[in-house]
Amino acid sequence: MNYNAIDGLKSEAGNTKIDPAVLRELPEGCKVISIENHGVSFWAQTGRIDVLLRDDTPQSFFIKVLSKELGMNMTRGEFQSISAMYDVLPKFVPRPIACGTYSTIPNTHFLLCEFRDMTDDMPDPHEFTALLSKLHQKSVSPTGKFGFHITTYAGNLPQFVGWEESWEIFFSKSMRQALDLEIERKGPSEELDVLSSALFEKVIPRLLRPLESDGRTVKPSLVHGDLWYANSGIDVNTDQPLVFDACSFYAHNEYEFGQWQPACNRFGDEYVAAYNTFAQISPPEEDFQGRLDLYRL
């Protein structure tokens, strides 16, 4: 799918044309001043819309444009993810405004939110993880289970979000879906069959079952879902850490750190250590690193 071919975001100099479906979501009576490309995405066109409100106050918005049914599902999943996070901790994410479908270009879909000017500097570990831990701790699953009410996408891949009472069962089904997608796209592998059998029969039960045994429980926490450093920034005006490009669901809070394990991610050990000053490691603590290695998959 080539999102670069979308004709939904004209950003050449002086352009102020905007689809009526997007315009309806902007403040009533505002005047569009400019539309320009902003940011980088593997899957979408992204841009900044500058407007003047009725009282001549300038305001800016961020738009993401995708195509086809997959693009529609991705915008919906991201909008619901950001909305869920914003409801819990509004200062941690840009304010979501709308998702919808263009009225002038067939099969073209958009996500609209407030524009926050950000640097790509790494946030302070303690300041960042204080907010992240608050998101995890304050969030409440609407069903009391693990999952989400709409499919969310890690990149362009759908995640398993079916409601499950057991974290072990939820994670197993999520891992199975990911492996099935891999096999579907790259073909069968005898080596993968052997490894996956060991994973499901030995590794997952060994590392996750103790979390929910002997009276222990796991709280379903709202997670960002794809929290690597490129999906974070620092607000230029407030110096507050921000995150974006979420693919959320309710999970074991430590699931968030699987994304931090590869060396290419700049959320290193100091961020995990900082987080653990705000939230207790789930017992049994001696399995902590093993669980993170599992979540890394």
Side-chain angles (χ1 to χ4, degrees):
M1 183 177 298
N2 182 9
Y3 285 111
N4 294 325
I6 296 174
D7 192 27
L9 190 61
K10 298 286 189 180
S11 58
E12 57 266 19
N15 175 57
T16 59
K17 291 182 64 177
I18 192 167
D19 188 89
V22 179
L23 186 61
R24 283 194 295 270
E25 303 296 345
L26 298 176
E28 187 175 356
C30 73
K31 180 182 179 182
V32 177
I33 301 302
S34 67
I35 306 168
E36 59 185 43
N37 287 328
H38 182 87
V40 177
S41 171
F42 292 113
W43 319 111
Q45 286 184 309
T46 54
R48 170 177 172 165
I49 303 171
D50 293 327
V51 309
L52 284 180
L53 304 180
R54 280 178 167 173
D55 62 359
D56 287 336
T57 301
Q59 193 168 344
S60 298
F61 300 87
F62 176 82
I63 187 170
K64 179 181 286 189
V65 184
L66 299 95
S67 68
K68 304 182 181 179
E69 182 178 3
L70 176 59
M72 177 180 65
N73 294 336
M74 289 169 66
T75 56
R76 289 177 177 175
E78 184 175 345
F79 177 76
Q80 293 295 328
S81 297
I82 299 173
S83 296
M85 294 177 67
Y86 187 84
D87 287 344
V88 177
L89 199 60
K91 64 181 179 180
F92 200 34
V93 292
R95 178 174 63 89
I97 296 172
C99 64
T101 298
Y102 274 34
S103 59
T104 57
I105 307 174
N107 219 4
T108 300
H109 315 281
F110 68 92
L111 167 72
L112 188 71
C113 64
E114 69 172 336
F115 180 85
R116 302 282 290 272
D117 197 10
M118 287 179 272
T119 71
D120 58 4
D121 297 330
M122 291 298 292
D124 175 79
H126 282 84
E127 189 175 3
F128 181 79
T129 56
L131 291 170
L132 182 62
S133 65
K134 188 174 291 186
L135 171 72
H136 293 161
Q137 292 167 17
K138 288 183 62 179
S139 58
V140 177
S141 167
T143 66
K145 300 178 182 181
F146 302 97
F148 205 59
H149 63 280
I150 188 174
T151 300
T152 56
Y153 288 75
N156 66 345
L157 298 178
Q159 301 188 120
F160 175 79
V161 293
W163 295 110
E164 294 288 346
E165 291 186 0
S166 163
W167 171 242
E168 179 189 345
I169 292 174
F170 179 91
F171 183 84
S172 295
K173 289 185 176 181
S174 176
M175 194 73 233
R176 172 55 64 192
Q177 178 169 301
L179 284 170
D180 287 346
L181 285 170
E182 182 80 3
I183 293 167
E184 178 185 324
R185 298 190 181 195
K186 296 186 177 179
S189 162
E190 291 184 8
E191 182 182 16
L192 186 59
D193 288 342
V194 172
L195 293 172
S196 61
S197 293
L199 177 69
F200 289 104
E201 295 170 12
K202 297 180 180 179
V203 178
I204 292 177
R206 166 60 188 87
L207 290 172
L208 300 190
R209 192 164 298 170
L211 290 168
E212 300 172 302
S213 302
D214 300 324
R216 292 185 286 263
T217 60
V218 178
K219 173 189 179 293
S221 297
L222 184 66
V223 296
H224 176 285
D226 189 19
L227 194 52
W228 65 307
Y229 71 89
N231 286 343
S232 70
I234 299 176
D235 188 292
V236 169
N237 297 311
T238 66
D239 286 331
Q240 285 272 358
L242 289 169
V243 296
F244 48 92
D245 277 358
C247 52
S248 296
F249 55 94
Y250 291 89
H252 181 206
N253 65 306
E254 293 173 1
Y255 175 88
E256 203 89 91
F257 311 137
Q259 183 71 279
W260 298 6
Q261 299 306 294
C264 61
N265 197 335
R266 292 159 63 188
F267 286 129
D269 292 343
E270 70 273 26
Y271 285 85
V272 177
Y275 181 96
N276 288 335
T277 66
F278 299 105
Q280 181 182 358
I281 295 174
S282 297
E285 294 186 12
E286 60 268 23
D287 289 345
F288 178 64
Q289 187 58 51
R291 292 194 297 263
L292 299 197
D293 290 337
L294 176 62
Y295 297 158
R296 176 181 179 172
L297 296 180

